[in-house]
Amino acid sequence: MLKSTSFYFVPVINTDGAALVEQHWLDEGKIINKRKNMNPNNIMCGDENSGVDLNRNYEVDWEPEKKKNQTELCGDYWPGDEPFSEPESRAMRDFIGANKREIKFVINCHTSGNEFIWPYNGREHNDIEVRNPGYLEIFQNIAQKAPFPDNVLKGNSYEVIGDKMGGDADDYTMSTFGIPSVTSEMGYFGQYIKDWRCQSKAVCFEIIRENNRWMEYIFEHIGTIADKVVIK
């Protein structure tokens, strides 16, 4: 597989937010629930609640929130003042755009929820067959044939969690470049401490082992998938 396939790994996109979590753990032995970046423009929210939700900061179906409403500004899903307002989302946009002829599939790994989510997520009705004809079959084939962990929920965000999610990275990647892109919420909520730290090394290895199998299925069938992909 490695002889015939190139892999790009981006270990962490929200590097500054992750560094804050790690430093807080080293200093105080506690894990804070920091899921947004370190944008300093809303520091009134405090370190844990300031910043922008990077997975609401992409251009497709991006929706503004009310900045004067501190509940939204300091909430988990603040999308920024405009699409690509953040250096992290711009970096991913530019990287994928520069390598779009090579990249045939994108997997975004998140925690947690035991979910396999594909586009489109910014609207209640998934119009994937209008925007990218034939791509739904790619995802459904993976959902039906790949060896997922037990009880994984599959579909777009409205089908899986009953809510739409504008400004999503997968939606932008597929709509703009024609590259199939999915988000995997790996593991159950109870396997983590505040969504960040595994309960134990054994739990971490188990999560990785169970999710490696469906990823390997995608890698093994990437040639068939690539034949259906229309790069824009």
Side-chain angles (χ1 to χ4, degrees):
M1 189 183 298
L2 291 175
K3 291 181 179 179
S4 59
T5 309
S6 297
F7 295 87
Y8 292 100
F9 292 91
V10 182
V12 179
I13 295 175
N14 184 10
T15 53
D16 294 334
L20 177 69
V21 174
E22 291 168 356
Q23 192 61 51
H24 198 273
W25 172 255
L26 292 174
D27 293 343
E28 302 185 29
K30 297 180 180 179
I31 297 177
I32 60 173
N33 190 23
K34 176 69 175 178
R35 67 184 307 280
K36 297 189 289 184
N37 74 349
M38 294 295 289
N39 184 313
N41 292 334
N42 52 349
I43 56 174
M44 76 289 293
C45 300
D47 283 345
E48 187 169 358
N49 297 310
S50 64
V52 170
D53 179 357
L54 297 174
N55 207 36
R56 304 291 192 283
N57 191 236
Y58 290 78
E59 195 169 37
V60 174
D61 292 329
W62 181 87
E63 294 182 358
E65 301 285 351
K66 298 176 182 177
K67 193 168 185 176
K68 292 182 179 180
N69 183 339
Q70 192 158 326
T71 300
E72 294 180 356
L73 180 64
C74 300
D76 285 342
Y77 308 116
W78 175 249
D81 293 328
E82 61 184 10
F84 295 116
S85 61
E86 308 308 299
E88 298 93 340
S89 57
R90 293 197 299 271
M92 289 306 301
R93 174 197 64 190
D94 296 345
F95 173 78
I96 294 174
N99 295 280
K100 66 180 183 179
R101 298 296 172 188
E102 292 184 66
I103 298 173
K104 304 304 179 184
F105 205 96
V106 173
I107 301 173
N108 290 298
C109 297
H110 293 198
T111 58
S112 56
N114 211 32
E115 299 159 355
F116 181 74
I117 302 174
W118 59 70
Y120 282 96
N121 298 297
R123 305 175 190 179
E124 291 184 12
H125 171 68
N126 191 359
D127 58 350
I128 183 173
E129 280 299 289
V130 175
R131 299 201 227 186
N132 298 89
Y135 278 49
L136 181 59
E137 182 183 0
I138 295 173
F139 300 124
Q140 289 178 334
N141 183 281
I142 295 169
Q144 294 167 6
K145 297 181 180 180
F148 284 91
D150 292 339
N151 303 315
V152 168
L153 301 175
K154 303 161 187 172
N156 75 336
S157 64
Y158 196 78
E159 293 166 331
V160 170
I161 63 174
D163 197 7
K164 61 182 183 177
M165 188 174 68
D168 175 63
D170 295 324
D171 290 5
Y172 176 80
T173 298
M174 200 162 87
S175 176
T176 305
F177 303 118
I179 302 170
S181 184
V182 298
T183 290
S184 173
E185 297 285 355
M186 298 196 297
Y188 295 97
F189 293 113
Q191 292 178 303
Y192 297 92
I193 301 172
K194 290 191 175 181
D195 292 337
W196 271 95
R197 185 185 181 205
C198 292
Q199 294 283 356
S200 67
K201 287 184 179 179
V203 170
C204 274
F205 286 131
E206 180 65 14
I207 292 169
I208 293 170
R209 185 187 68 80
E210 288 194 338
N211 284 277
N212 269 349
R213 294 181 297 177
W214 64 261
M215 292 185 190
E216 287 178 358
Y217 176 90
I218 293 175
F219 302 153
E220 290 168 358
H221 293 82
I222 197 66
T224 302
I225 293 171
D227 289 340
K228 300 177 181 179
V229 170
V230 180
I231 300 299
K232 298 181 180 180

